[in-house]
Amino acid sequence: MKRAFIYDAIRSPRTKAKASGGLHELTPTALLAQLHHSLAERTGLDPRLVSEVILGCVTQYGEQAANVAKTSALLAGWPSSIAGLTVNRFCSSSIDAVALAALKVNVGQSSALIAGGVEMMSRVPLLADGARVFADHNFGVEHHVLLMGAGADLIATRVGATREDCDEVAFLSHQRALVAQREKRFSSIVSIDTSHGEITEDECIRASLTRERLAGMPSAFAELGAAGSDEVQLDTFKGLEAISHVHTAANSPAMCDAAGVLLVGDERMQDRLSVLPKVEIIDSVTCGAEPLEVVSGCVAATAEIMRRNGLSAADVDVFEIHEAFAATIVKLTRELDLSLDKVNVNGGCIALGHPMGATGAIMVGTAIDELYRSDGELAVVAASGAAGSGSALLLRRCD
């Protein structure tokens, strides 16, 4: 088996999923094309060495349909010989894209691939593809699929996470993201050209957010529960008396526009680039957790990748874990006995934004940034998808 390395990981800023957002004017492929060029420039990559582009994208509809991995490479002017694959495992899609690229290197099928993800949620909104399992409640229940907010409230109920617990996760996410932004810790961000100038910073962080403002936010998913989700969940988990609707718009992940790409290659690629590898991809896992919790898969994936590699919490220096609603982080820290001192130390998706199909790739870049900033060795990156799915990567820093 050949070893797989990440030579560089870059991302766009995460901007608001609104017409006023900094990246809104760009199509998904146009944003990706800029990143492809930036990655090649930063690494000295000759695109002719790339065998394939593998990207995650959740809402493959409209501008994000028709295999954005392939079409973005063509728009960038890269060789037509480069294959393209767009994958969807919900919000863990780009972690799986990276894992697939690594596996292709491991078995000697490829020496260099681009992996990552994209989601332009101001242009292709959440649920725009009209998937029946989300649009038709009864149909969704038949398939054991509920909407994400309903699952998050069930997680909170089952682990005993209070509204205060969840608001504290959100407050900490924003505070840490503010520090990271001010100290320019995100080395993986590259500027993106638009008609109104360069976009250089994340937009979703709220400097004015206080615990008091968090406490005043109304519940976001009580009506969803009353429409039938509560009944399904309580019927399944007989010991529960009621679902605690503790999630609000403020302790849920912020929807945004963004993309991220990585250069994955074998050891020989360092002789053909202007950079050395940053991390080795040691392992990857995918798993399924309780589908009615919807977004707890990142917890199961984190636990599994640590178990498989004989790791304790003390062995891992950096945990970049998808803040798939605040209760997921409460579940993670309680069930795996993880300290928040190691989890999302530069903020998470609640503050920085959650561009679904791109989130995993962006977190990989953030984990690499933090490993080098803090002189760490090992990082775990994990994300939840819908229906209980989850994926994780184990990374080791290269010296």
Side-chain angles (χ1 to χ4, degrees):
M1 295 285 284
K2 295 187 176 181
R3 299 163 70 190
F5 298 89
I6 297 174
Y7 283 86
D8 203 0
I10 65 171
R11 69 169 177 97
S12 73
R14 290 185 257 197
T15 63
K16 294 177 181 178
K18 299 179 179 179
S20 58
L23 298 176
H24 171 72
E25 71 175 50
L26 299 175
T27 64
T29 47
L31 176 58
L32 285 164
Q34 287 200 40
L35 288 178
H36 293 332
H37 288 305
S38 293
L39 187 63
E41 183 178 350
R42 281 181 34 146
T43 61
L45 172 69
D46 181 345
R48 290 175 297 181
L49 299 175
V50 175
S51 64
E52 189 170 6
V53 177
I54 306 177
L55 299 178
C57 183
V58 176
T59 310
Q60 295 182 34
Y61 174 81
E63 294 174 343
Q64 289 180 169
N67 194 0
V68 293
K70 175 64 177 177
T71 53
S72 67
L74 291 172
L75 184 64
W78 282 13
S80 58
S81 58
I82 297 174
L85 173 65
T86 305
V87 300
N88 180 7
R89 205 191 301 270
F90 305 110
C91 300
S92 65
S93 296
S94 55
I95 287 187
D96 288 288
V98 176
L100 285 170
L103 291 170
K104 284 174 177 279
V105 171
N106 291 151
V107 299
Q109 189 178 107
S110 179
S111 293
L113 305 95
I114 304 300
V118 65
E119 209 81 40
M120 293 294 289
M121 302 186 73
S122 70
R123 300 178 68 96
V124 187
L126 176 69
L127 307 180
D129 53 349
R132 188 178 173 189
V133 289
F134 296 124
D136 181 334
H137 175 76
N138 291 333
F139 187 79
V141 168
E142 289 176 2
H143 293 77
H144 304 279
V145 174
L146 298 179
L147 287 166
M148 287 67 76
D153 281 343
L154 176 61
I155 293 170
T157 305
R158 295 189 72 197
V159 302
T162 65
R163 171 67 182 271
E164 291 74 21
D165 292 332
C166 293
D167 283 350
E168 190 61 24
V169 170
F171 182 73
L172 187 60
S173 184
H174 281 275
Q175 291 298 303
R176 288 177 166 181
L178 281 168
V179 171
Q181 188 174 67
R182 289 169 182 164
E183 295 184 357
K184 300 188 183 302
R185 294 184 183 180
F186 300 127
S187 302
S188 48
I189 290 183
V190 297
S191 62
I192 301 297
D193 292 327
T194 70
S195 65
H196 48 275
E198 289 189 343
I199 306 301
T200 61
E201 289 194 332
D202 298 316
E203 292 181 351
C204 298
I205 309 168
R206 296 171 60 186
S208 62
L209 191 66
T210 63
R211 291 184 175 90
E212 291 72 26
R213 292 183 69 178
L214 280 162
M217 294 289 293
S219 171
F221 306 112
E223 289 186 9
L224 179 61
S229 297
D230 282 6
E231 181 182 357
V232 172
Q233 292 168 330
L234 293 172
D235 185 58
T236 301
F237 299 98
K238 302 294 187 182
L240 301 180
E241 295 182 0
I243 302 299
S244 300
H245 295 291
V246 297
H247 287 96
T248 69
N251 61 29
S252 303
M255 300 295 97
C256 70
D257 295 339
V261 294
L262 300 77
L263 174 56
V264 180
D266 62 18
E267 198 163 11
R268 294 176 303 170
M269 276 301 298
Q270 63 186 301
D271 297 328
R272 310 185 77 174
L273 299 170
S274 60
V275 297
L276 295 174
K278 291 192 171 184
V279 296
E280 182 178 358
I281 302 171
I282 302 299
D283 197 9
S284 63
V285 302
T286 57
C287 60
E290 169 54 53
L292 295 184
E293 288 186 344
V294 187
V295 290
S296 61
C298 65
V299 180
T302 300
E304 176 61 11
I305 205 163
M306 292 174 67
R307 183 199 66 79
R308 278 170 46 133
N309 291 276
L311 299 172
S312 68
D315 297 321
V316 180
D317 301 294
V318 174
F319 288 92
E320 276 294 317
I321 311 296
H322 178 200
E323 287 178 349
F325 301 83
T328 306
I329 300 301
V330 177
K331 177 181 175 72
L332 174 90
T333 55
R334 290 182 182 177
E335 295 188 357
L336 303 188
D337 194 26
L338 298 184
S339 169
L340 281 174
D341 292 340
K342 288 186 175 183
V343 178
N344 299 343
V345 299
N346 295 307
C349 295
I350 291 174
L352 291 161
H354 176 36
M356 302 183 294
T359 293
I362 288 173
M363 291 196 304
V364 170
T366 303
I368 294 171
D369 292 342
E370 183 58 23
L371 281 177
Y372 279 83
R373 189 190 75 86
S374 63
D375 197 27
E377 180 185 6
L378 291 178
V380 170
V381 183
S384 299
S389 62
S391 301
L393 297 166
L394 177 62
L395 310 175
R396 180 166 59 210
R397 176 183 163 183
C398 300
D399 290 317

